[in-house]
């Protein structure tokens, strides 16, 4: 299924204020892959994500989604294919009721009302938030907001899901539930995050960014054990791969 | 600061009221909106010295509060909150218009005082009707009704967004105010200079959020039109509600009922 493909070639982007956020990025993500994009603050992760569905257009280089290059003509196709979950659910849930919000995308696609209704119900059921249907978004808890934000994207049935920091500001159990949920998806997943334990659970491939460039791209397990690489990119090993402080204390002070 | 917080909770409470299931809440939002409009037009169309003719209109808010299970005390407080506006509009009338209009025994009452009282009554009636509309319908449903009745789309969209983000905005303002209060001592740091830079900060944050929201909308295929998928159905009771009340308002507008009652009673005693 070629429409699940994401291909980026020598992508460059400089913000109007002169910050050069992407300085020649290339990768290719194929159908069904779960890829993490990690890197320090300001490494260019968010800018990269915004390029993937045309919120920003490349200044040099190309972005290909499926069979089509991303440009003004293909924008609506690309946005239907790439579902984007923003970091702050308050930015994403702008409609008065949860139901309206999840229906927003499908209605814009021009689907008939019955079909929209079906999609809303199934998207909300997928994230376990069907009971929130008639509530206004600002009355939801952080975890509920996140779930609904994901549903609002799922309702457009995208083939590629792009998420910016999906676990930020979630409590540990809600975070765990979200990871379990994402595991059940068979979309192509692209996740930008600082939560390296999530990466370990969810993504088989990891791309490390630093100062607008890709410094590593490979299997997650290899990358997350390369302490030198992680350190130089402003990261550290996932907590689970670090020594357990309790065990260390038990076995006496380590050298 | 506590003030911002409590007024925010108050808006929230108005909305909580709108979730009730009463005969009033079950009515189609369009008929409630229209009836409220007819009510307001009827009330404000009276002459400037009218008092007695306005009094029967109190019937409408009282009945709706009872049917809609809305707390009168809470609504009264909300009305008081807006009262200064009407008060200052009307307060100069007694100074400007000193001609004696009514004689109550030995005391002459000037036209200014009469029109002032008339303004306050109208204000109370119209504001309570508007509040009851919101508490008995919910602002979102009112917006939906506006849209269905052909109000300009951009206006409805603005109203929806205003209501959606007023909570987010006040929350942000509250956090700013709290952060300042925690680091201000003996009134230092609470001055106007800091305040103005805080307002600027808030504006910038808001612009930034607006940009992000716009991106999120574009990502989901926004093309300048907001679609709402909520079918409305007119029932017999909706039509009856509208016709009944509007008829009554017209009646009360054309016939001064307290006057008629008074005349009848004096006739009887004669």
């Amino acid at each position: 299924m070629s429409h699940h493909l994401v291909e980026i070639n020598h992508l460059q982007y400089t913000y109007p204020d002169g910050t050069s956020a992407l300085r020649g990025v290339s990768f290719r993500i194929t159908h069904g892959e779960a890829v993490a994009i990690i890197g320090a603050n300001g490494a260019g992760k968010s800018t990269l994500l915004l390029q993937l569905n045309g919120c920003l257009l490349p200044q040099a280089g190309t972005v290909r989604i499926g069979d089509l290059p991303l440009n003004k003509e293909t924008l609506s196709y690309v946005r239907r294919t790439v579902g984007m979950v923003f970091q702050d659910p308050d930015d994403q849930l702008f409609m008065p009721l949860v139901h309206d919000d999840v229906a927003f995308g499908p209605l814009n696609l021009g689907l008939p009302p019955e079909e929209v209704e079906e999609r809303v119900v199934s998207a909300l059921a997928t994230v376990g938030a069907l009971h929130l249907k008639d509530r206004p978004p600002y009355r939801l808890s952080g975890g509920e907001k996140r779930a609904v934000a994901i549903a609002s994207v799922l309702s457009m049935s995208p083939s590629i899901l792009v998420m910016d920091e999906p676990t930020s500001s979630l409590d540990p159990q809600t975070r765990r539930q979200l990871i379990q949920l994402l595991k059940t998806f068979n979309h192509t997943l692209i996740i930008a995050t600082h939560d390296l334990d999530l990466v370990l659970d969810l993504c088989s491939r990891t791309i490390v960014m630093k100062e607008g460039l890709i410094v590593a791209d490979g299997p997650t397990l290899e990358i997350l054990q390369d302490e030198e690489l992680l350190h130089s990119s402003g990261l550290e090993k996932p907590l689970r791969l670090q020594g357990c402080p309790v065990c260390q204390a038990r076995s006496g002070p380590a050298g | 600061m506590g003030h911002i917080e409590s007024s925010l909770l108050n808006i929230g409470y108005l909305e909580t009221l709108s979730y009730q299931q009463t005969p009033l809440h079950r009515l189609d939002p369009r008929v409630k909106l229209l009836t409220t409009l007819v009510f307001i037009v009827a009330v404000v169309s009276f002459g400037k010295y009218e008092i007695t003719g306005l009094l029967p209109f109190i019937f409408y808010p009282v009945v709706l509060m009872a049917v809609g299970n809305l707390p009168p005390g809470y609504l009264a407080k909300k009305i008081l909150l807006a009262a200064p506006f009407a008060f200052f509009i009307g307060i100069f009338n007694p100074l400007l218009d000193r001609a004696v209009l009514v004689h109550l025994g030995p005391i002459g009452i000037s036209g200014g005082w009469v029109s002032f009282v008339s303004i306050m009554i109208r204000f109370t009636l119209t504001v309570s009707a508007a509040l009851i509309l919101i508490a008995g319908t919910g602002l979102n449903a009112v917006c939906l009704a506006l849209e269905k009745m052909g109000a300009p789309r951009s206006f409805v969209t603005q109203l929806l967004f205003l209501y959606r983000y007023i909570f987010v905005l006040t929350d942000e303002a509250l956090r700013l105010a709290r952060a300042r209060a925690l680091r201000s001592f003996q009134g230092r740091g609470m001055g106007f200079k800091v305040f103005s830079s805080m307002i600027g900060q808030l504006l910038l944050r808001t612009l930034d959020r607006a940009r992000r929201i716009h991106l999120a909308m574009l990502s989901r295929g926004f093309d300048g039109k907001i679609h709402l998928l909520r079918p409305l159905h007119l029932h017999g009771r909706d039509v009856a509600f509208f016709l009944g009340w509007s008829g009554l308002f017209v009646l009360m507008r054309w016939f001064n009922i307290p006057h008629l009652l008074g005349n009848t009673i004096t006739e009887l005693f004669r």
Side-chain angles (χ1 to χ4, degrees):
Chain A
M1 287 218 257
S2 56
H3 58 279
H4 290 219
L5 197 76
V6 178
E7 193 172 11
I8 282 178
N9 257 317
H10 303 290
L11 183 67
Q12 291 182 26
Y13 189 84
T14 304
Y15 281 102
D17 67 355
T19 321
S20 154
L22 298 175
R23 300 185 297 153
V25 172
S26 307
F27 59 77
R28 182 188 158 93
I29 295 173
T30 51
H31 171 62
E33 265 191 291
V35 181
I37 298 176
I38 61 175
N41 294 323
K45 303 186 300 287
S46 297
T47 313
L48 179 61
L49 293 195
L50 289 176
Q51 297 274 355
L52 293 180
N53 73 343
C55 281
L56 297 175
L57 289 173
Q59 287 160 341
T62 55
V63 176
R64 283 184 82 88
I65 305 291
D67 301 324
L68 296 173
L70 171 66
N71 55 38
K72 288 215 167 94
E73 282 72 47
T74 57
L75 210 52
S76 77
Y77 163 79
V78 167
R79 287 185 172 154
R80 206 173 338 151
T81 315
V82 181
M84 174 101 182
V85 180
F86 285 76
Q87 183 174 359
D88 183 351
D90 262 326
D91 295 340
Q92 184 145 12
L93 306 175
F94 43 78
M95 295 293 280
L97 296 179
V98 166
H99 175 277
D100 300 334
D101 217 292
V102 182
F104 183 84
L107 282 172
N108 284 334
L109 293 178
L111 299 175
E114 309 81 56
E115 162 101 30
V116 172
E117 199 55 49
E118 230 167 76
R119 284 195 181 200
V120 170
V121 171
S122 89
L124 281 172
T126 308
V127 300
L130 197 53
H131 59 290
L132 305 173
K133 197 162 143 261
D134 296 314
R135 298 257 298 274
Y138 51 86
R139 294 210 165 186
L140 305 179
S141 72
E144 289 170 337
K145 275 188 195 171
R146 186 77 57 167
V148 173
I150 293 173
S152 72
V153 168
L154 287 183
S155 64
M156 297 193 295
S157 32
S159 0
I160 300 160
L161 263 184
V162 177
M163 309 183 117
D164 196 358
E165 289 287 0
T167 52
S168 68
S169 68
L170 292 185
D171 63 57
Q173 283 197 2
T174 315
R175 170 180 168 276
R176 180 57 57 195
Q177 283 163 7
L178 179 70
I179 293 176
Q180 294 305 338
L181 172 69
L182 293 178
K183 269 188 182 168
T184 63
F185 289 178
N186 41 23
H187 301 77
T188 301
L189 268 181
I190 302 175
I191 302 176
T193 185
H194 292 305
D195 183 349
L196 299 186
D197 288 277
L198 161 119
V199 175
L200 209 53
D201 278 336
L202 222 52
C203 305
S204 53
R205 176 177 162 195
T206 298
I207 293 174
V208 184
M209 289 189 71
K210 186 188 173 189
E211 291 158 15
L213 291 170
I214 291 182
V215 289
D217 179 354
T220 299
L221 276 177
E222 270 173 38
I223 287 187
L224 292 186
Q225 290 192 62
D226 186 342
E227 270 180 76
E228 207 172 310
L229 168 73
L230 292 175
H231 186 75
S232 69
S233 322
L235 302 163
E236 61 175 22
K237 265 179 158 183
L239 296 175
R240 266 183 299 163
L241 296 186
Q242 293 183 18
C244 160
V246 178
C247 314
Q248 262 175 14
R250 257 189 221 141
S251 63
Chain B
M1 195 165 67
H3 190 72
I4 308 181
E5 215 158 351
S6 64
S7 35
L8 189 66
L9 282 177
N10 258 326
I11 307 180
Y13 184 57
L14 197 61
E15 174 155 326
T16 311
L17 287 177
S18 74
Y19 291 145
Q20 301 181 92
Q21 284 292 333
T22 70
L24 175 67
H25 290 82
R26 277 192 288 272
L27 287 170
D28 189 300
R30 284 171 296 181
V31 302
K32 283 182 275 188
L33 182 66
L34 271 180
T35 312
T36 309
L37 282 178
V38 174
F39 177 82
I40 290 173
V41 168
V43 167
V44 297
S45 68
F46 274 102
K48 97 183 224 214
Y49 296 123
E50 190 62 58
I51 288 182
T52 51
L54 285 167
L55 293 178
F57 280 89
I58 196 76
F59 191 55
Y60 174 71
V62 168
V63 170
L64 258 55
M65 271 191 275
V67 176
N69 189 26
L70 306 173
Y74 169 75
L75 292 179
K77 255 189 243 160
K78 293 265 112 179
I79 294 172
L80 270 182
L81 212 67
F85 295 102
F87 183 81
F88 283 110
I89 290 171
I91 193 60
F92 292 106
N93 287 8
L95 300 175
L96 300 173
D97 184 356
R98 286 163 182 268
V100 174
L101 196 76
V102 191
H103 287 281
L104 261 184
I107 310 162
I109 297 176
S110 73
W113 280 112
V114 174
S115 63
F116 173 65
V117 170
S118 176
I119 285 177
M120 293 313 284
I121 294 178
R122 280 166 220 239
F123 159 78
T124 311
L125 286 173
T126 48
V127 172
S128 61
L131 281 174
I132 288 170
L133 173 70
I134 304 293
T137 313
L139 195 73
N140 293 328
V142 173
C143 287
L144 179 67
L146 278 170
E147 202 231 44
K148 296 259 167 178
M149 281 161 45
R153 211 170 252 285
S154 52
F155 173 71
V156 177
T157 310
Q158 295 247 342
L159 204 56
L160 279 174
F161 273 76
L162 174 77
Y163 195 57
R164 167 67 184 87
Y165 282 101
I166 193 155
F167 295 94
V168 178
L169 181 72
T170 23
D171 218 42
E172 213 144 289
L174 200 68
R175 282 203 298 269
L176 272 177
R178 201 174 279 150
R180 176 178 68 156
L182 286 177
R183 287 185 289 146
S184 303
F185 302 99
Q186 283 120 35
R188 257 179 292 174
M190 299 295 277
F192 191 72
K193 224 172 133 186
V194 183
F195 177 75
S196 50
S197 82
M198 267 169 66
I199 292 288
Q201 176 81 244
L202 197 59
L203 175 70
L204 289 178
R205 285 190 195 191
T206 308
L207 288 176
D208 218 40
R209 184 179 290 279
R211 195 182 52 81
R212 292 200 305 269
I213 294 167
H214 188 230
L215 285 179
M217 293 174 76
L218 288 179
S219 302
R220 289 197 274 148
F222 179 65
D223 56 358
K225 244 193 235 163
I226 289 208
H227 308 268
L228 284 170
L229 186 70
R230 264 179 280 163
L232 292 178
H233 301 289
L234 273 185
H235 296 283
R237 55 162 196 252
D238 297 317
V239 180
F241 178 87
F242 174 66
L243 290 181
W245 279 112
S246 306
L248 187 64
F249 298 152
V250 171
L251 213 69
M252 294 196 291
R253 175 67 187 84
W254 292 117
F255 302 100
N256 189 331
I257 291 172
H259 207 142
L260 288 178
L261 269 177
N263 280 349
T264 328
I265 290 171
T266 28
E267 285 290 311
L268 282 177
F269 279 92
R270 196 172 282 167

